[in-house]
Amino acid sequence: ETGVTQTPRHLVMGMTNKKSLKCEQHLGHNAMYWYKQSAKKPLELMFVYSLEERVENNSVPSRFSPECPNSSHLFLHLHTLQPEDSALYLCASSQVTGTGDTYGYTFGSGTRLTVV
Amino acid sequence: ILNVEQSPQSLHVQEGDSTNFTCSFPSSNFYALHWYRWETAKSPEALFVMTLNGDEKKKGRISATLNTKEGYSYLYIKGSQPEDSATYLCAFPYNQGGKLIFGQGTELSVKP
């Protein structure tokens, strides 16, 4: 366990399903992130909740919807996904200072998502 | 568009060999440079966060150097062991506030 817990570890869903990925950290960090890794591509930042502000990558389709109810929990709601959305979804947390400096990320183990 | 480049993409070495690989990043608006190790079926693990030009950090047999003026960092592994086999990622903050842009990684395989 790294201090960041993701569930589920594996998920298979149909294109018409609605599902949610969950991430939880009890490290006292004030920023949480969703990253996507597709085969042979770098980790791609999807969403950030940092110092209570949500920042998103404008290229993320609206079928992905994040939710951060408090500083310890982060969700990624999935709706009408496409097969090309199949990937590893990683959650991470970090401590960001008031000047914007960040220490290293702590990552969860990821959710391997398959859309059929 | 910020680009973080790593080379080589993959590396195969024998146990005991020393090895190094490179991360290139934009030299303007530098905040920090991160290195992570990602073993198969595990989570990426932070190795170093480097902020000062000329900085050198060490963790056991692994060390890293940083040149912010020319925009590169080297990661060195001395006397590679099979347990060093992993993908090594470097990452560069998009701006202040924690948003990291990752390179594609260098996949290291150490054979006994």
Side-chain angles (χ1 to χ4, degrees), chain A residues 2 4 9 31 33 35 37 40-45 48 50 55 88 90 94 96 99-110, chain B residues 4 9 31-32 34 36 38 41-46 48-49 51 87 89 93-105 107:
Chain A
T2 66
V4 176
R9 292 292 298 269
Y33 314 84
Y35 277 84
Q37 193 188 36
K40 304 295 183 184
K41 288 187 176 180
L43 285 170
E44 177 188 348
L45 180 62
V48 180
S50 176
V55 177
L88 179 70
L90 281 168
S94 73
V96 179
T99 56
D101 297 324
T102 187
Y103 301 96
Y105 282 10
T106 301
F107 281 92
S109 299
Chain B
V4 179
Q9 284 194 15
Y31 299 104
H34 294 223
Y36 291 82
W38 194 359
K42 294 188 177 180
S43 313
E45 172 196 359
F48 307 112
V49 178
T51 55
T87 296
L89 302 170
Y94 176 69
N95 55 23
Q96 287 185 317
K99 299 176 280 294
L100 291 180
I101 305 298
F102 282 83
Q104 195 156 354
E107 187 177 353

Side-chain angles (χ1 to χ4, degrees), chain B residues 6-95:
Chain B
Q6 291 189 248
S7 63
Q9 284 194 15
S10 64
L11 199 53
H12 300 268
V13 301
Q14 290 294 130
E15 182 176 356
D17 288 349
S18 293
T19 186
N20 66 85
F21 20 93
T22 307
C23 173
S24 301
F25 53 86
S27 55
S28 58
N29 296 320
F30 178 83
Y31 299 104
L33 193 282
H34 294 223
W35 281 102
Y36 291 82
R37 174 171 61 199
W38 194 359
E39 295 179 67
T40 302
K42 294 188 177 180
S43 313
E45 172 196 359
L47 287 173
F48 307 112
V49 178
M50 309 179 79
T51 55
L52 298 175
N53 184 43
D55 202 6
E56 180 171 349
K57 295 208 171 184
K58 193 173 180 181
K59 190 174 185 177
R61 292 179 292 98
I62 304 176
S63 60
T65 61
L66 179 66
N67 184 322
T68 61
K69 293 183 179 179
E70 295 183 37
Y72 64 84
S73 176
Y74 293 135
L75 190 79
Y76 300 91
I77 302 179
K78 185 178 178 182
S80 302
Q81 300 296 308
E83 58 264 30
D84 296 328
S85 298
T87 296
Y88 291 82
L89 302 170
C90 71
F92 182 80
Y94 176 69
N95 55 23

Side-chain angles (χ1 to χ4, degrees), chain A residues 74-94:
Chain A
L74 183 66
F75 296 90
L76 187 64
H77 303 299
L78 314 173
H79 177 48
T80 60
L81 295 192
Q82 304 298 309
E84 60 263 29
D85 297 321
S86 298
L88 179 70
Y89 291 84
L90 281 168
C91 172
S93 70
S94 73

Side-chain angles (χ1 to χ4, degrees), chain A residues 11-22:
Chain A
L11 179 62
V12 179
M13 61 185 287
M15 289 189 284
T16 58
N17 290 161
K18 288 184 183 181
K19 296 284 184 184
S20 296
L21 309 185
K22 180 181 176 183

Side-chain angles (χ1 to χ4, degrees), chain A residues 25-39:
Chain A
Q25 62 94 5
H26 294 288
L27 300 170
H29 289 168
N30 60 6
M32 296 186 77
Y33 314 84
W34 281 115
Y35 277 84
K36 173 185 177 182
Q37 193 188 36
S38 306

